[in-house]
Amino acid sequence: MPQMPRKAVFPVAGLGTRFLPATKAVPKEMLTVVDKPVIQYAVEEAAEAGIEHFIFVTGRGKGAIEDHFDIAYELEATLKARGKTAEIAQLEASRPAAGTASFVRQQEPLGLGHAVWCARDIVGNEPFVLALPDMLILSPRGCFAQMMDVYRAHGGNVIAVEEVPHEHVHRYGVVALEQKLDERTHRIAGMVEKPKREEAPSNLIISGRYILQPEIFARLETQKPGAGGEIQLTDAMIALVAEQAFHAYRFEGTTYDCGDKIGFLAANVALALSRPDIEPAFRPLLERLIGR
Ligand code: G1P
């Protein structure tokens, strides 16, 4: 069995300009989907898959993320004094244990590849998972837990992919497949970041969940800027395809792109409808709103 990933990297330095003015003083990763910040869904998905250490690549103005994963001592003391045990349990369940969260700053907005590279010293020489928290995935079994099974069976690198309408491919990294390993898993022949629609090799996009080998860091170190003038993770992965196996895994689940207003609203509705504590009261209201 390959060495299993123990650490997860969460790039959270992005400015969130698509959500201004909401993100002027609040990091976009702290926007709420139902009753949790967006970032917490990705952290819980990683924890469910057995991840033990959580690395956040932050930037200026992102202090609320560190506070969110810390103990809010005064708040918890007050809740305790008032006998609010359910609320305390909720807070305890949502934070990493002491010493299992690390924060490193990406000092300049040079791209996703650069953000990942900023985590190199904390990750060290071992495989790791990478989650782009904007992509919220709703599935009965977490996307990372599914990917760990693929990794256990095939090793190498594993990238979660999904089909999108062909007219949307230019917004994403797109993969080209070769050998089929099982119903949902293929070897990757190549990748391209933000291709023109007519040049995309498929309509299978990279969905923001990766299991990567540490050799990616050496590639990122010398990676030249690509699409959008940014240092692209996809370009560094392309450079490694000749040396390491990359597997595309079509996960079971639905993705909501919370970096986009419509995706964010859809995530709120979908998550609310998936919650037994909220759905019964919410559904009739929603149906009335849409005029059913
Ligand atoms: C990044 C990746 C891209 C991936 C996308 C998923 O792009 O570079 O390959 O498809 O996330 O959201 P970004 O959204 O940062 O432009």
Side-chain angles (χ1 to χ4, degrees), residues 173-213:
V174 179
V175 301
L177 303 182
E178 54 181 15
Q179 188 196 353
K180 178 175 173 179
L181 301 176
D182 61 52
E183 258 335 289
R184 293 186 171 272
T185 316
H186 284 75
R187 268 296 276 260
I188 289 179
M191 287 170 253
V192 49
E193 182 66 20
K194 313 250 160 57
K196 293 195 180 112
R197 287 186 188 92
E198 58 279 12
E199 286 165 14
S202 75
N203 66 339
L204 277 178
I205 62 132
I206 298 173
S207 303
R209 299 290 185 275
Y210 312 72
I211 298 177
L212 295 170
Q213 297 296 327

Side-chain angles (χ1 to χ4, degrees), residues 217-230:
F217 293 121
R219 296 285 168 173
L220 287 169
E221 180 136 16
T222 55
Q223 189 59 53
K224 299 271 180 298
E230 298 191 336

Side-chain angles (χ1 to χ4, degrees), residues 120-201:
R120 67 198 179 281
D121 280 353
I122 308 179
V123 172
N125 189 30
E126 54 181 278
F128 63 102
V129 309
L130 168 66
L132 309 188
D134 279 355
M135 299 299 257
L136 198 160
I137 300 178
L138 189 56
S139 54
R141 189 153 173 262
C143 184
F144 274 135
Q146 299 175 42
M147 291 169 74
M148 289 291 196
D149 290 345
V150 177
Y151 179 76
R152 230 173 258 119
H154 304 292
N157 302 267
V158 182
I159 300 177
V161 300
E162 69 186 299
E163 278 176 40
V164 297
H166 205 81
E167 58 269 26
H168 292 169
V169 288
H170 64 288
R171 300 185 198 156
Y172 298 100
V174 179
V175 301
L177 303 182
E178 54 181 15
Q179 188 196 353
K180 178 175 173 179
L181 301 176
D182 61 52
E183 258 335 289
R184 293 186 171 272
T185 316
H186 284 75
R187 268 296 276 260
I188 289 179
M191 287 170 253
V192 49
E193 182 66 20
K194 313 250 160 57
K196 293 195 180 112
R197 287 186 188 92
E198 58 279 12
E199 286 165 14

Side-chain angles (χ1 to χ4, degrees), residues 74-95:
E74 300 87 339
L75 172 66
E76 293 193 24
T78 309
L79 290 174
K80 210 176 220 160
R82 293 184 184 166
K84 304 257 183 201
T85 42
E87 286 80 357
I88 294 175
Q90 227 171 16
L91 290 179
E92 279 171 359
S94 69
R95 71 166 171 259

Side-chain angles (χ1 to χ4, degrees), residues 33-60:
V33 175
V34 185
D35 54 5
K36 290 184 211 170
V38 168
I39 181 69
Q40 198 174 321
Y41 290 93
V43 167
E44 287 177 0
E45 187 192 315
E48 178 201 341
I51 292 299
E52 296 163 6
H53 195 109
F54 306 87
I55 303 163
F56 300 87
V57 182
T58 72
R60 297 181 71 79

